[in-house]
Amino acid sequence: MASSSRRRLSFVDFPDPQVWHKLIEYAEVTITFTKLITDFTNQWAKICFLASSQLHQLVSDFRKKTETEIRDKCHLRGRMYDLWESLLLESELESQSLKKMACLMEKEICTPLASFITNKSVELSINRQHRCDLHEILGTSHAIVQDLQEGYATIYNDSGVTPEFHHAHNQYVIELVGANGLLSKYQYYVLPQLLQGMEQSQIDVIDTVCQNLQLFASLIENYHEQRHRSFASFVVTSTTTDPNEELENYICSINESGGEPSTPPINIEFEIFHSPVNKLTTYDSRLQHLSPHTTEQLIVYAAPIIQSQLSLRCRETAERLKEVKKEKSALLAVVNKTLTKHHQQHEDQQQ
């Protein structure tokens, strides 16, 4: 309660010339601080302009790459391509938002603050000069009063009370009253007004700095809110993508682009089974070119080996034939199932 009823201190409470330089220093520091904030905002705006330009160029380059490296080779479409286009669009909007925020910073903060700093610097120089001029005037008045007082005292000591003494006395009293009146006006009217003006100027500086800092934060907040909503919508859209549906749509587009009403049947060419008897016949035909004596010797010595190899080959062939039959049955089942599915889809599309 006591603190609320206490009178607020003011610049007027410090009229002493020894405190004057502290008030001047405070005013200079606040103006310098305002200039610092202006430079910071200006640098921030330049960075936003640069980022906007680079991001715009990046989007432009990748749009060209998409056309030359993707779209020209394959007419890509569907959700995947739409999401990519949405991302490029969001990046372009990001570039425009950065540029817009930079323009607002320059227009709403940098330019007004620069003008404000100039005005306050001029105002501070005027206040400083007024105080110096007033001190100079008071010093001159004091010197005049001192001279008249010394002349008045000298005449009195030399001549006593004479007409010259009365004239000097009157001049001294008039100048003394004028100097005291000037000092009174200065002390009780001029100096308080000067100090109040300086105080109000500092209040304006502090208020302007705080308002511009709040405006700076508000611009960034609005920018991030807008971009957050936009990117949040993009994220929600991208999470609903079904890769299976995407691939199926592409396959359907291939079928439609081919001009065929339905998927053509699949013809599978299986490997032909070659009997080992044919190989033996071929081997016998080569033996016919040999002499009868040599042939008989080869048959005698090679008969056990040929018989064992032939038996082994027959067993391997029989096992392989069983495996081929199993693979054929499984493959035919898959093919029939696929054909039935495509035929059903085609009938559904026609209906």
Side-chain angles (χ1 to χ4, degrees):
M1 187 69 181
S3 60
S4 61
S5 61
R6 182 177 61 85
R7 186 180 68 85
R8 182 180 65 85
L9 291 176
S10 173
F11 275 24
V12 182
D13 298 323
F14 303 96
D16 193 285
Q18 295 180 357
V19 189
W20 171 255
H21 71 280
K22 294 185 179 296
L23 303 180
I24 293 295
E25 287 178 357
Y26 179 74
E28 291 175 345
V29 167
T30 54
I31 292 176
T32 304
F33 181 62
T34 307
K35 187 177 183 301
L36 189 70
I37 295 173
T38 306
D39 294 339
F40 175 79
T41 308
N42 190 24
Q43 291 293 326
W44 184 294
K46 289 181 179 179
I47 292 174
C48 290
F49 274 123
L50 180 61
S52 173
S53 176
Q54 292 178 346
L55 188 56
H56 175 74
Q57 185 63 40
L58 179 68
V59 173
S60 178
D61 293 342
F62 274 84
R63 285 189 187 277
K64 293 179 181 178
K65 287 184 178 181
T66 302
E67 291 296 327
T68 57
E69 299 179 9
I70 305 298
R71 300 281 288 180
D72 290 347
K73 296 180 180 179
C74 176
H75 189 63
L76 185 65
R77 60 182 179 179
R79 196 61 171 275
M80 180 174 60
Y81 179 74
D82 292 341
L83 287 176
W84 169 244
E85 284 292 333
S86 298
L87 180 60
L88 292 178
L89 179 60
E90 290 293 339
S91 301
E92 182 66 27
L93 293 176
E94 182 79 10
S95 171
Q96 295 176 4
S97 298
L98 285 172
K99 184 177 181 180
K100 180 180 179 181
M101 184 173 67
C103 292
L104 288 175
M105 284 183 178
E106 286 193 344
K107 180 181 178 181
E108 302 293 337
I109 299 178
C110 295
T111 303
L113 274 184
S115 177
F116 179 79
I117 290 171
T118 302
N119 294 336
K120 290 303 175 182
S121 298
V122 172
E123 187 177 343
L124 178 61
S125 299
I126 293 174
N127 290 334
R128 183 191 287 117
Q129 189 62 41
H130 281 176
R131 184 71 184 261
C132 293
D133 293 342
L134 290 172
H135 273 286
E136 184 178 353
I137 292 172
L138 290 177
T140 303
S141 299
H142 179 71
I144 293 174
V145 170
Q146 286 292 109
D147 291 341
L148 291 176
Q149 191 269 336
E150 291 176 359
Y152 163 69
T154 300
I155 293 174
Y156 178 78
N157 293 329
D158 294 342
S159 305
V161 180
T162 61
E164 294 180 356
F165 167 77
H166 289 292
H167 178 73
H169 171 75
N170 292 336
Q171 291 293 328
Y172 168 66
V173 172
I174 292 173
E175 194 64 33
L176 181 63
V177 172
N180 288 334
L182 179 62
L183 181 61
S184 176
K185 291 287 185 181
Y186 169 74
Q187 188 69 26
Y188 296 107
Y189 295 99
V190 178
L191 184 58
Q193 290 181 0
L194 179 63
L195 294 174
Q196 287 177 358
M198 288 187 61
E199 181 179 5
Q200 185 60 43
S201 177
Q202 292 308 302
I203 292 175
D204 293 341
V205 171
I206 296 172
D207 185 57
T208 301
V209 168
C210 293
Q211 287 182 0
N212 280 274
L213 289 176
Q214 292 174 358
L215 178 59
F216 186 92
S218 177
L219 289 175
I220 298 177
E221 182 184 12
N222 293 335
Y223 161 77
H224 282 291
E225 285 181 354
Q226 294 175 0
R227 301 307 305 135
H228 175 73
R229 288 195 298 268
S230 182
F231 276 110
S233 176
F234 172 73
V235 170
V236 171
T237 304
S238 62
T239 54
T240 60
T241 303
D242 185 2
N244 296 324
E245 182 181 355
E246 184 77 13
L247 183 59
E248 185 177 357
N249 291 334
Y250 178 70
I251 294 174
C252 292
S253 67
I254 295 177
N255 190 21
E256 293 174 358
S257 61
E260 297 292 336
S262 61
T263 304
I266 301 175
N267 296 323
I268 300 177
E269 296 182 359
F270 295 97
E271 293 291 335
I272 300 174
F273 173 73
H274 298 279
S275 174
V277 178
N278 296 332
K279 293 184 178 180
L280 183 60
T281 304
T282 305
Y283 179 74
D284 292 340
S285 63
R286 286 184 296 175
L287 291 177
Q288 292 177 0
H289 298 283
L290 300 175
S291 62
H293 180 70
T294 306
T295 304
E296 292 177 358
Q297 290 180 349
L298 289 175
I299 292 174
V300 171
Y301 291 107
I305 299 174
I306 294 173
Q307 185 177 2
S308 62
Q309 291 181 352
L310 183 60
S311 300
L312 179 62
R313 184 63 178 173
C314 289
R315 287 195 300 270
E316 292 178 353
T317 302
E319 292 176 358
R320 178 57 183 164
L321 185 58
K322 292 180 181 179
E323 293 177 358
V324 169
K325 289 181 179 180
K326 291 181 180 179
E327 293 177 357
K328 179 180 178 181
S329 300
L331 187 59
L332 287 175
V334 173
V335 170
N336 292 332
K337 184 178 180 180
T338 304
L339 290 175
T340 304
K341 180 180 178 181
H342 283 286
H343 182 68
Q344 184 66 31
Q345 290 180 353
H346 180 66
E347 290 181 353
D348 294 340
Q349 291 178 357
Q350 289 181 350
Q351 291 178 359

